[in-house]
Coordinates of all heavy atoms in Angstrom, one line a residue:
M1 N -3.9 -19.8 37.6 CA -3.7 -19.4 38.9 C -4.1 -20.5 39.8 O -3.3 -20.9 40.7 CB -4.4 -18.1 39.2 CG -4.2 -17.8 40.7 SD -5.4 -16.6 41.4 CE -5.1 -15.1 40.6
F2 N -5.3 -21.1 39.7 CA -5.8 -22.1 40.6 C -5.7 -23.4 39.9 O -6.1 -23.5 38.7 CB -7.2 -21.8 41.0 CG -7.4 -20.9 42.2 CD1 -6.6 -19.8 42.3 CD2 -8.3 -21.2 43.1 CE1 -6.8 -18.9 43.4 CE2 -8.5 -20.3 44.2 CZ -7.7 -19.2 44.4
K3 N -5.3 -24.4 40.5 CA -5.3 -25.8 39.9 C -6.0 -26.7 41.0 O -5.7 -26.7 42.1 CB -3.9 -26.4 39.7 CG -3.0 -25.5 38.7 CD -3.4 -25.8 37.3 CE -2.6 -25.0 36.5 NZ -3.1 -24.6 35.3
R4 N -6.9 -27.5 40.4 CA -7.6 -28.4 41.3 C -6.9 -29.7 41.3 O -6.4 -30.2 40.3 CB -9.0 -28.8 40.7 CG -10.0 -27.6 40.8 CD -11.4 -28.2 40.5 NE -12.4 -27.2 40.5 CZ -12.8 -26.5 39.5 NH1 -12.4 -26.8 38.3 NH2 -13.7 -25.6 39.6
F5 N -6.9 -30.3 42.5 CA -6.2 -31.6 42.6 C -7.2 -32.8 42.9 O -6.8 -33.8 42.9 CB -5.2 -31.6 43.7 CG -4.0 -30.7 43.4 CD1 -3.9 -29.5 43.9 CD2 -3.0 -31.2 42.5 CE1 -2.8 -28.7 43.6 CE2 -1.9 -30.4 42.1 CZ -1.8 -29.1 42.7
T6 N -8.4 -32.4 43.2 CA -9.4 -33.4 43.7 C -10.6 -33.4 42.8 O -11.5 -34.1 43.1 CB -9.9 -33.1 45.1 OG1 -10.5 -31.7 45.2 CG2 -8.7 -33.1 46.1
H7 N -10.5 -32.8 41.6 CA -11.7 -32.8 40.8 C -12.2 -34.2 40.3 O -13.4 -34.4 40.0 CB -11.6 -31.9 39.6 CG -10.6 -32.3 38.6 ND1 -9.3 -32.2 38.8 CD2 -10.8 -32.9 37.4 CE1 -8.6 -32.7 37.7 NE2 -9.5 -33.1 36.9
A8 N -11.3 -35.2 40.2 CA -11.6 -36.5 39.7 C -12.5 -37.2 40.7 O -13.2 -38.2 40.4 CB -10.4 -37.2 39.4
I9 N -12.4 -36.9 42.0 CA -13.2 -37.6 42.9 C -14.4 -36.9 43.6 O -15.1 -37.3 44.4 CB -12.2 -38.0 44.2 CG1 -11.7 -36.8 44.9 CG2 -11.2 -39.0 43.7 CD1 -10.9 -37.1 46.2
R10 N -14.6 -35.6 43.0 CA -15.8 -34.9 43.4 C -16.8 -34.9 42.2 O -16.4 -35.0 41.0 CB -15.4 -33.4 43.7 CG -14.5 -33.5 45.0 CD -14.3 -32.1 45.5 NE -13.4 -31.3 44.6 CZ -13.4 -30.0 44.6 NH1 -14.2 -29.3 45.2 NH2 -12.5 -29.4 43.7
D11 N -18.1 -34.6 42.5 CA -19.1 -34.5 41.5 C -18.8 -33.2 40.7 O -18.5 -32.2 41.3 CB -20.5 -34.3 42.0 CG -21.0 -35.7 42.5 OD1 -20.4 -36.8 42.1 OD2 -21.9 -35.7 43.3
N12 N -18.9 -33.3 39.4 CA -18.6 -32.1 38.5 C -19.9 -31.7 37.8 O -20.8 -32.6 37.6 CB -17.7 -32.4 37.4 CG -16.2 -32.8 37.9 OD1 -15.4 -31.9 38.2 ND2 -16.0 -34.0 38.1
F13 N -20.2 -30.4 37.8 CA -21.4 -29.9 37.1 C -21.1 -28.6 36.5 O -20.0 -28.1 36.6 CB -22.6 -29.9 38.2 CG -22.2 -29.2 39.5 CD1 -22.2 -27.9 39.6 CD2 -21.9 -30.0 40.6 CE1 -21.9 -27.3 40.8 CE2 -21.6 -29.4 41.8 CZ -21.6 -28.0 41.9
I14 N -22.2 -28.0 35.9 CA -22.0 -26.7 35.2 C -22.8 -25.6 36.0 O -23.9 -25.8 36.5 CB -22.6 -26.8 33.8 CG1 -22.0 -27.9 33.0 CG2 -22.7 -25.5 33.1 CD1 -20.6 -27.5 32.6
I15 N -22.2 -24.5 36.1 CA -22.9 -23.3 36.5 C -22.8 -22.4 35.3 O -22.1 -22.6 34.4 CB -22.3 -22.6 37.8 CG1 -20.8 -22.1 37.5 CG2 -22.3 -23.7 39.0 CD1 -20.2 -21.3 38.7
Y16 N -23.6 -21.3 35.4 CA -23.7 -20.3 34.3 C -23.4 -18.9 34.8 O -23.9 -18.5 35.8 CB -25.0 -20.3 33.7 CG -25.4 -21.7 33.1 CD1 -26.0 -22.6 33.7 CD2 -25.1 -21.9 31.7 CE1 -26.2 -23.9 33.3 CE2 -25.3 -23.2 31.2 CZ -25.9 -24.1 32.0 OH -26.2 -25.3 31.4
V17 N -22.4 -18.3 34.2 CA -22.0 -16.9 34.5 C -22.3 -16.0 33.2 O -21.6 -16.3 32.2 CB -20.6 -16.7 34.9 CG1 -20.3 -15.4 35.3 CG2 -20.4 -17.6 36.3
D18 N -23.1 -15.1 33.3 CA -23.5 -14.3 32.2 C -24.0 -15.1 31.0 O -23.7 -14.8 29.9 CB -22.4 -13.3 31.8 CG -22.1 -12.3 32.8 OD1 -23.0 -11.9 33.6 OD2 -21.0 -11.7 32.8
G19 N -24.7 -16.2 31.4 CA -25.2 -17.2 30.4 C -24.1 -18.1 29.8 O -24.5 -19.1 29.1
E20 N -22.9 -18.0 30.2 CA -21.9 -18.9 29.6 C -21.6 -20.1 30.6 O -21.6 -19.9 31.8 CB -20.5 -18.2 29.5 CG -20.6 -17.0 28.4 CD -20.9 -17.6 27.0 OE1 -20.3 -18.6 26.7 OE2 -21.7 -17.0 26.3
P21 N -21.5 -21.3 30.2 CA -21.3 -22.4 31.1 C -19.9 -22.4 31.7 O -18.9 -22.1 31.0 CB -21.5 -23.7 30.2 CG -21.2 -23.2 28.8 CD -21.6 -21.7 28.8
V22 N -19.7 -22.8 32.9 CA -18.4 -22.8 33.6 C -18.4 -24.2 34.4 O -19.4 -24.5 35.2 CB -18.2 -21.7 34.6 CG1 -16.9 -21.8 35.4 CG2 -18.3 -20.3 33.8
D23 N -17.4 -24.9 34.2 CA -17.3 -26.2 35.0 C -17.1 -25.8 36.4 O -16.3 -25.0 36.7 CB -16.1 -27.0 34.4 CG -16.5 -27.6 33.1 OD1 -17.6 -27.9 32.8 OD2 -15.4 -27.8 32.3
A24 N -17.7 -26.7 37.2 CA -17.5 -26.5 38.8 C -17.5 -27.8 39.4 O -17.9 -28.8 38.7 CB -18.7 -25.7 39.3
C25 N -16.9 -27.9 40.6 CA -16.9 -29.2 41.3 C -17.6 -29.0 42.7 O -17.6 -27.9 43.2 CB -15.4 -29.5 41.6 SG -14.5 -30.0 40.3
E26 N -18.3 -30.0 43.1 CA -18.9 -30.0 44.5 C -17.9 -29.5 45.5 O -16.8 -29.9 45.5 CB -19.3 -31.4 44.8 CG -20.1 -31.5 46.1 CD -20.5 -32.9 46.4 OE1 -19.8 -33.9 45.9 OE2 -21.5 -33.1 47.0
G27 N -18.3 -28.6 46.3 CA -17.4 -28.0 47.2 C -16.7 -26.8 46.9 O -16.2 -26.1 47.8
D28 N -16.7 -26.4 45.6 CA -16.0 -25.2 45.2 C -16.8 -24.0 45.7 O -18.0 -24.0 45.8 CB -16.1 -25.1 43.6 CG -15.0 -25.8 42.9 OD1 -14.1 -26.4 43.5 OD2 -15.1 -25.9 41.6
T29 N -16.1 -22.9 46.1 CA -16.7 -21.7 46.1 C -16.9 -21.2 44.7 O -16.3 -21.7 43.8 CB -15.9 -20.7 47.0 OG1 -14.7 -20.5 46.2 CG2 -15.6 -21.1 48.3
I30 N -17.8 -20.3 44.6 CA -18.0 -19.7 43.2 C -16.6 -19.1 42.7 O -16.2 -19.3 41.5 CB -18.9 -18.5 43.2 CG1 -20.4 -19.1 43.7 CG2 -19.1 -17.8 41.9 CD1 -21.4 -17.9 44.1
L31 N -15.9 -18.5 43.6 CA -14.6 -17.9 43.2 C -13.6 -19.0 42.8 O -13.0 -18.9 41.8 CB -14.0 -17.0 44.4 CG -12.8 -16.2 44.0 CD1 -13.1 -15.2 42.9 CD2 -12.3 -15.6 45.2
S32 N -13.5 -20.1 43.5 CA -12.6 -21.1 43.1 C -12.9 -21.7 41.8 O -12.0 -22.0 41.0 CB -12.4 -22.1 44.2 OG -13.5 -22.8 44.5
A33 N -14.2 -21.9 41.5 CA -14.7 -22.4 40.2 C -14.2 -21.3 39.1 O -13.6 -21.8 38.1 CB -16.1 -22.7 40.2
L34 N -14.5 -20.1 39.2 CA -14.2 -19.1 38.2 C -12.7 -18.9 38.0 O -12.3 -18.8 36.9 CB -14.8 -17.8 38.6 CG -16.4 -17.8 38.5 CD1 -16.9 -16.4 39.0 CD2 -17.0 -18.2 37.1
L35 N -12.0 -18.9 39.1 CA -10.5 -18.7 38.9 C -9.9 -20.0 38.4 O -8.9 -19.8 37.5 CB -9.8 -18.3 40.3 CG -10.2 -17.1 40.9 CD1 -9.5 -16.8 42.2 CD2 -9.9 -15.8 39.9
S36 N -10.5 -21.1 38.6 CA -9.9 -22.4 38.0 C -10.2 -22.5 36.5 O -9.4 -22.9 35.7 CB -10.4 -23.6 38.8 OG -10.1 -23.6 40.1
E37 N -11.4 -22.0 36.2 CA -11.8 -22.2 34.7 C -11.6 -21.0 33.8 O -11.3 -21.2 32.7 CB -13.3 -22.5 34.8 CG -13.6 -23.8 35.5 CD -12.9 -25.0 34.8 OE1 -12.8 -25.1 33.6 OE2 -12.3 -25.9 35.6
I38 N -11.8 -19.8 34.3 CA -11.6 -18.7 33.4 C -10.6 -17.6 34.0 O -10.3 -16.7 33.2 CB -13.0 -17.9 33.1 CG1 -13.6 -17.5 34.3 CG2 -13.9 -19.0 32.4 CD1 -14.9 -16.6 34.0
G39 N -10.2 -17.8 35.2 CA -9.0 -17.0 35.6 C -9.4 -15.6 36.2 O -8.6 -14.8 36.6
F40 N -10.7 -15.2 36.2 CA -11.1 -14.0 36.8 C -12.6 -14.1 37.2 O -13.2 -15.0 36.8 CB -10.9 -12.8 35.9 CG -11.7 -12.7 34.7 CD1 -12.8 -11.9 34.6 CD2 -11.4 -13.5 33.6 CE1 -13.6 -11.9 33.4 CE2 -12.2 -13.4 32.4 CZ -13.3 -12.6 32.4
V41 N -13.1 -13.1 38.0 CA -14.4 -13.3 38.4 C -15.3 -12.3 37.8 O -16.5 -12.6 37.6 CB -14.5 -13.1 40.0 CG1 -14.1 -11.8 40.5 CG2 -15.8 -13.5 40.5
R42 N -14.9 -11.0 37.4 CA -15.7 -10.0 36.8 C -14.8 -9.0 36.2 O -13.6 -9.0 36.5 CB -16.7 -9.5 37.8 CG -16.0 -8.8 39.0 CD -17.0 -8.2 39.9 NE -16.4 -7.5 41.0 CZ -15.9 -6.2 41.0 NH1 -16.2 -5.5 40.0 NH2 -15.3 -5.7 42.0
L43 N -15.4 -8.0 35.5 CA -14.7 -6.9 35.1 C -15.0 -5.7 36.0 O -16.1 -5.6 36.5 CB -15.1 -6.6 33.6 CG -14.8 -7.5 32.6 CD1 -15.3 -7.1 31.3 CD2 -13.3 -7.8 32.5
L44 N -14.0 -4.8 36.2 CA -14.2 -3.7 37.0 C -15.2 -2.7 36.3 O -15.3 -2.7 35.1 CB -12.9 -2.9 37.1 CG -12.7 -1.7 38.0 CD1 -12.8 -2.2 39.4 CD2 -11.4 -1.0 37.8
E45 N -16.1 -2.1 37.2 CA -17.1 -1.3 36.6 C -16.7 -0.1 35.8 O -17.3 0.3 34.8 CB -18.0 -0.7 37.8 CG -18.8 -1.7 38.6 CD -17.9 -2.5 39.6 OE1 -16.8 -2.1 39.8 OE2 -18.5 -3.3 40.4
L46 N -15.6 0.5 36.1 CA -15.2 1.8 35.5 C -14.3 1.6 34.3 O -14.2 2.5 33.5 CB -14.5 2.6 36.5 CG -15.3 2.9 37.8 CD1 -14.5 3.7 38.8 CD2 -16.5 3.7 37.5
K47 N -13.6 0.5 34.1 CA -12.9 0.2 32.9 C -12.7 -1.3 32.8 O -12.9 -2.0 33.7 CB -11.4 0.9 33.0 CG -10.7 0.4 34.3 CD -9.4 1.3 34.3 CE -8.6 0.9 35.6 NZ -7.4 1.6 35.7
P48 N -12.3 -1.7 31.6 CA -12.4 -3.2 31.4 C -11.1 -3.8 31.9 O -10.3 -4.5 31.2 CB -12.4 -3.3 29.8 CG -11.7 -2.0 29.4 CD -12.1 -0.9 30.4
E49 N -11.1 -3.8 33.2 CA -10.0 -4.5 33.9 C -10.5 -5.7 34.7 O -11.5 -5.7 35.3 CB -9.4 -3.5 35.0 CG -8.3 -4.1 35.9 CD -7.9 -3.0 36.8 OE1 -7.3 -2.0 36.4 OE2 -7.9 -3.3 38.0
K50 N -9.9 -6.9 34.6 CA -10.3 -8.1 35.2 C -10.0 -8.1 36.6 O -9.0 -7.7 37.1 CB -9.6 -9.3 34.5 CG -10.0 -9.5 33.1 CD -9.3 -10.7 32.4 CE -9.8 -10.9 31.0 NZ -9.0 -11.9 30.3
R51 N -11.0 -8.5 37.5 CA -10.9 -8.6 38.9 C -10.9 -10.2 39.3 O -11.7 -10.9 38.7 CB -12.0 -7.9 39.6 CG -12.2 -6.5 39.2 CD -10.9 -5.7 39.4 NE -10.6 -5.7 40.9 CZ -9.5 -5.2 41.4 NH1 -8.6 -4.6 40.6 NH2 -9.3 -5.3 42.7
A52 N -10.1 -10.5 40.2 CA -10.1 -11.9 40.7 C -10.2 -12.1 42.2 O -9.8 -13.1 42.7 CB -8.7 -12.5 40.2
G53 N -10.9 -11.1 42.8 CA -10.9 -11.2 44.3 C -9.5 -10.8 44.8 O -8.6 -10.7 44.0
F54 N -9.5 -10.6 46.1 CA -8.2 -10.0 46.6 C -7.9 -10.9 47.9 O -6.9 -11.6 47.9 CB -8.2 -8.6 46.9 CG -6.9 -8.0 47.5 CD1 -5.8 -7.9 46.6 CD2 -6.9 -7.7 48.8 CE1 -4.7 -7.4 47.2 CE2 -5.7 -7.2 49.4 CZ -4.6 -7.1 48.5
C55 N -8.8 -10.9 48.8 CA -8.5 -11.5 50.1 C -8.9 -13.0 50.1 O -8.4 -13.8 50.9 CB -9.3 -10.8 51.2 SG -11.1 -11.1 51.2
L56 N -9.8 -13.5 49.3 CA -10.4 -14.8 49.2 C -10.9 -15.3 50.5 O -11.1 -16.5 50.8 CB -9.3 -15.7 48.8 CG -8.4 -15.4 47.6 CD1 -7.4 -16.4 47.2 CD2 -9.2 -15.1 46.4
M57 N -11.3 -14.3 51.4 CA -11.9 -14.8 52.7 C -13.0 -13.9 53.2 O -13.4 -13.8 54.4 CB -10.8 -14.8 53.7 CG -10.1 -13.6 53.9 SD -8.8 -13.8 55.2 CE -8.7 -12.2 55.9
G58 N -13.7 -13.2 52.3 CA -14.9 -12.4 52.7 C -14.6 -11.0 53.3 O -15.5 -10.4 53.8
A59 N -13.5 -10.5 53.1 CA -13.1 -9.1 53.8 C -13.1 -8.0 52.8 O -13.5 -6.9 53.1 CB -11.8 -9.3 54.5
C60 N -12.6 -8.2 51.6 CA -12.2 -7.1 50.6 C -13.5 -6.6 49.8 O -13.5 -5.6 49.3 CB -11.1 -7.4 49.8 SG -11.5 -8.6 48.4
Q61 N -14.4 -7.5 49.6 CA -15.6 -7.2 48.8 C -15.4 -6.9 47.4 O -16.1 -6.3 46.7 CB -16.3 -5.9 49.4 CG -16.5 -5.8 50.9 CD -17.2 -7.1 51.5 OE1 -18.2 -7.4 51.0 NE2 -16.7 -7.6 52.5
D62 N -14.3 -7.5 46.9 CA -14.0 -7.5 45.5 C -14.6 -8.5 44.6 O -14.4 -8.5 43.4 CB -12.4 -7.5 45.4 CG -11.9 -7.2 43.9 OD1 -12.4 -6.2 43.4 OD2 -11.1 -7.9 43.4
C63 N -15.4 -9.4 45.2 CA -15.8 -10.6 44.4 C -17.3 -10.7 44.2 O -17.9 -11.8 43.9 CB -15.2 -11.9 45.0 SG -15.8 -12.2 46.6
W64 N -18.1 -9.6 44.4 CA -19.4 -9.7 44.4 C -20.0 -9.9 43.0 O -19.6 -9.4 42.0 CB -20.1 -8.4 44.9 CG -20.0 -8.2 46.4 CD1 -19.1 -7.3 47.0 CD2 -20.8 -8.9 47.4 NE1 -19.3 -7.5 48.4 CE2 -20.4 -8.4 48.7 CE3 -21.7 -9.8 47.4 CZ2 -20.9 -8.9 49.9 CZ3 -22.3 -10.3 48.6 CH2 -21.9 -9.7 49.8
L65 N -20.9 -10.9 43.0 CA -21.7 -11.2 41.7 C -23.2 -11.1 42.1 O -23.5 -10.8 43.2 CB -21.3 -12.5 41.1 CG -19.9 -12.8 40.8 CD1 -19.7 -14.2 40.4 CD2 -19.6 -11.9 39.6
W66 N -24.1 -11.4 41.1 CA -25.5 -11.4 41.4 C -26.0 -12.8 41.0 O -25.7 -13.3 39.9 CB -26.2 -10.3 40.7 CG -26.0 -9.0 41.4 CD1 -26.8 -8.4 42.2 CD2 -24.9 -8.1 41.1 NE1 -26.3 -7.2 42.6 CE2 -25.2 -7.0 42.0 CE3 -23.8 -8.1 40.4 CZ2 -24.3 -5.9 42.0 CZ3 -22.9 -7.0 40.4 CH2 -23.2 -5.9 41.2
H67 N -27.0 -13.2 41.8 CA -27.9 -14.4 41.2 C -28.9 -13.7 40.3 O -29.1 -12.5 40.5 CB -28.7 -15.0 42.4 CG -27.7 -15.8 43.3 ND1 -27.3 -17.1 43.0 CD2 -27.1 -15.5 44.5 CE1 -26.5 -17.6 44.1 NE2 -26.3 -16.6 44.9
L68 N -29.4 -14.4 39.4 CA -30.4 -13.8 38.5 C -31.6 -13.4 39.1 O -32.4 -12.6 38.7 CB -30.7 -14.8 37.3 CG -29.5 -15.1 36.4 CD1 -30.1 -15.9 35.1 CD2 -28.8 -13.9 35.9
S69 N -31.9 -13.8 40.4 CA -33.0 -13.4 41.2 C -32.8 -12.0 41.7 O -33.7 -11.4 42.3 CB -33.3 -14.4 42.3 OG -32.1 -14.4 43.2
G70 N -31.6 -11.5 41.6 CA -31.2 -10.2 42.1 C -30.4 -10.2 43.4 O -29.9 -9.2 43.9
E71 N -30.4 -11.3 44.1 CA -29.6 -11.4 45.4 C -28.1 -11.4 45.1 O -27.6 -11.9 44.0 CB -29.8 -12.7 46.0 CG -31.3 -12.9 46.6 CD -31.5 -14.3 47.2 OE1 -30.7 -14.8 47.8 OE2 -32.6 -14.8 46.9
R72 N -27.4 -10.7 45.9 CA -25.9 -10.6 45.7 C -25.2 -11.9 46.2 O -25.7 -12.7 47.0 CB -25.3 -9.5 46.5 CG -25.8 -8.1 45.8 CD -25.3 -7.0 46.7 NE -23.9 -6.8 46.3 CZ -23.1 -6.0 47.0 NH1 -23.5 -5.3 48.0 NH2 -21.8 -5.8 46.6
A73 N -24.2 -12.2 45.5 CA -23.4 -13.4 45.9 C -21.9 -13.1 46.1 O -21.3 -12.5 45.2 CB -23.5 -14.5 44.7
R74 N -21.5 -13.2 47.3 CA -20.0 -13.1 47.5 C -19.3 -14.3 47.1 O -19.4 -15.3 47.7 CB -19.7 -12.8 48.9 CG -18.3 -12.4 49.1 CD -18.0 -11.7 50.5 NE -18.6 -12.4 51.6 CZ -19.0 -11.9 52.7 NH1 -18.8 -10.6 53.0 NH2 -19.5 -12.6 53.7
A75 N -18.6 -14.2 46.0 CA -18.0 -15.5 45.3 C -17.0 -16.2 46.2 O -17.0 -17.5 46.1 CB -17.4 -15.0 44.0
C76 N -16.4 -15.6 47.1 CA -15.3 -16.3 47.8 C -15.9 -17.0 49.0 O -15.1 -17.9 49.6 CB -14.2 -15.4 48.3 SG -14.7 -14.2 49.5
T77 N -17.1 -16.8 49.3 CA -17.7 -17.4 50.6 C -18.9 -18.3 50.3 O -19.4 -19.0 51.1 CB -18.0 -16.5 51.6 OG1 -19.0 -15.5 51.2 CG2 -16.8 -15.7 52.2
E78 N -19.4 -18.2 49.0 CA -20.6 -18.9 48.7 C -20.3 -20.1 47.8 O -19.5 -20.0 46.8 CB -21.6 -18.1 47.9 CG -22.9 -18.7 47.6 CD -24.0 -17.8 47.1 OE1 -24.0 -16.6 47.5 OE2 -24.9 -18.2 46.4
R79 N -20.7 -21.3 48.2 CA -20.4 -22.4 47.4 C -21.3 -22.6 46.2 O -22.5 -22.2 46.1 CB -20.6 -23.8 48.3 CG -19.5 -23.8 49.3 CD -19.5 -25.1 50.0 NE -18.7 -25.2 51.2 CZ -17.4 -25.4 51.2 NH1 -16.8 -25.7 50.1 NH2 -16.7 -25.3 52.3
V80 N -20.7 -23.3 45.1 CA -21.5 -23.5 43.9 C -22.6 -24.6 44.1 O -22.5 -25.4 44.9 CB -20.6 -23.9 42.7 CG1 -19.7 -22.8 42.4 CG2 -19.8 -25.2 43.1
L81 N -23.7 -24.5 43.4 CA -24.7 -25.5 43.3 C -25.0 -25.8 41.8 O -24.8 -24.9 40.9 CB -26.0 -25.0 43.9 CG -26.0 -24.7 45.4 CD1 -27.2 -24.0 45.8 CD2 -25.8 -26.0 46.2
P82 N -25.3 -27.1 41.5 CA -25.5 -27.4 40.1 C -26.5 -26.5 39.4 O -27.6 -26.2 40.0 CB -26.1 -28.8 40.1 CG -25.5 -29.4 41.4 CD -25.6 -28.2 42.4
G83 N -26.3 -26.0 38.2 CA -27.2 -25.1 37.5 C -27.3 -23.7 38.0 O -28.1 -22.9 37.4
M84 N -26.5 -23.4 38.9 CA -26.5 -22.0 39.5 C -26.3 -21.0 38.4 O -25.5 -21.2 37.4 CB -25.3 -21.9 40.5 CG -25.2 -20.5 41.2 SD -23.8 -20.6 42.3 CE -24.7 -20.8 43.8
R85 N -27.1 -19.9 38.3 CA -27.0 -18.9 37.2 C -26.6 -17.5 37.9 O -27.4 -17.1 38.7 CB -28.3 -18.8 36.5 CG -28.5 -20.1 35.7 CD -29.8 -20.0 34.9 NE -30.0 -21.3 34.2 CZ -29.4 -21.5 33.0 NH1 -28.8 -20.7 32.4 NH2 -29.7 -22.7 32.4
L86 N -25.5 -17.0 37.5 CA -25.0 -15.7 38.0 C -24.8 -14.8 37.0 O -24.6 -15.0 35.8 CB -23.7 -16.0 38.7 CG -23.7 -17.1 39.9 CD1 -22.3 -17.6 40.2 CD2 -24.3 -16.4 41.2
S87 N -24.8 -13.4 37.4 CA -24.5 -12.4 36.5 C -23.3 -11.6 37.1 O -23.2 -11.4 38.3 CB -25.8 -11.5 36.4 OG -25.4 -10.3 35.7
T88 N -22.5 -11.0 36.2 CA -21.5 -10.1 36.7 C -21.9 -8.7 36.8 O -21.1 -7.9 37.3 CB -20.2 -10.2 35.7 OG1 -20.5 -9.8 34.5 CG2 -19.5 -11.6 35.7
S89 N -23.1 -8.4 36.4 CA -23.7 -7.1 36.6 C -25.0 -7.2 37.2 O -25.6 -8.3 37.1 CB -23.7 -6.3 35.3 OG -24.5 -7.0 34.4
Q90 N -25.4 -6.2 37.9 CA -26.7 -6.3 38.6 C -27.8 -6.5 37.7 O -28.0 -5.7 36.7 CB -27.0 -5.1 39.5 CG -28.2 -5.1 40.3 CD -28.3 -3.9 41.3 OE1 -27.5 -3.0 41.1 NE2 -29.2 -4.0 42.2
P91 N -28.6 -7.6 37.8 CA -29.7 -7.7 36.8 C -30.6 -6.5 36.8 O -31.0 -5.9 37.8 CB -30.5 -8.9 37.6 CG -29.5 -9.7 38.3 CD -28.5 -8.6 38.9
G92 N -30.9 -6.1 35.5 CA -31.8 -5.0 35.3 C -31.0 -3.7 35.2 O -31.6 -2.7 34.7
S93 N -29.7 -3.7 35.5 CA -28.8 -2.6 35.3 C -28.4 -2.3 33.9 O -28.3 -3.4 33.2 CB -27.7 -2.6 36.2 OG -26.8 -3.6 35.9
V94 N -28.1 -1.2 33.5 CA -27.4 -0.9 32.2 C -26.0 -0.8 32.3 O -25.6 0.0 33.2 CB -28.2 0.3 31.5 CG1 -27.5 0.7 30.2 CG2 -29.6 0.2 31.5
R95 N -25.2 -1.4 31.5 CA -23.7 -1.2 31.5 C -23.2 -0.3 30.4 O -23.8 -0.2 29.4 CB -23.2 -2.6 31.2 CG -22.6 -3.2 32.5 CD -21.6 -4.3 32.2 NE -20.9 -4.5 33.5 CZ -20.2 -5.4 33.7 NH1 -19.8 -6.2 32.8 NH2 -19.5 -5.6 34.9
Ligands
LIG1 S1 -12.3 -12.1 47.6 FE1 -12.3 -10.5 49.2 S2 -14.5 -10.6 49.8 FE2 -14.3 -12.1 48.2

């Protein structure tokens, strides 16, 4: 769905989502990194349906993830940082 055109001129690094490494580029939002690399952001809570955000601009609330510290991360408005560790479910919750 998403194709990067400028990754060769930006710093590349790894972030982790549910412990899995995901390639990211400086300046990416979390959502753009995930859609570029794995094609979705999380699974729906009620059934195993992939979610990819909807509005891409902070309005629909479809792209929430969690930092391992427990803080929520809106993937479409928060930029990646090297080594960032995220979870697709609330840390400490039972799935
Ligand atoms: S994609 Fe809509 S709030 Fe993030």
Side-chain angles (χ1 to χ4, degrees):
M1 177 200 291
F2 275 41
K3 299 283 185 213
R4 288 193 181 99
F5 293 103
T6 60
H7 68 282
I9 60 171
R10 295 189 288 156
D11 286 342
N12 295 278
F13 49 80
I14 300 291
I15 65 171
Y16 297 89
V17 179
D18 294 336
E20 297 295 322
V22 176
D23 290 329
C25 293
E26 181 181 31
D28 279 351
T29 62
I30 297 167
L31 187 62
S32 61
L34 294 179
L35 293 182
S36 297
E37 295 300 320
I38 61 175
F40 67 101
V41 65
R42 63 180 178 87
L43 297 176
L44 189 64
E45 292 84 356
L46 304 175
K47 56 184 178 180
E49 178 181 300
K50 292 178 181 175
R51 306 299 303 172
F54 182 72
C55 71
L56 312 182
M57 60 181 207
C60 74
Q61 315 304 314
D62 190 45
C63 66
W64 286 104
L65 297 174
W66 284 265
H67 293 277
L68 294 190
S69 63
E71 294 174 41
R72 294 177 78 191
R74 188 167 49 207
C76 67
T77 57
E78 186 169 332
R79 292 189 190 274
V80 292
L81 294 171
M84 177 180 263
R85 293 181 181 272
L86 300 160
S87 174
T88 58
S89 59
Q90 186 172 10
S93 67
V94 178
R95 257 198 165 172

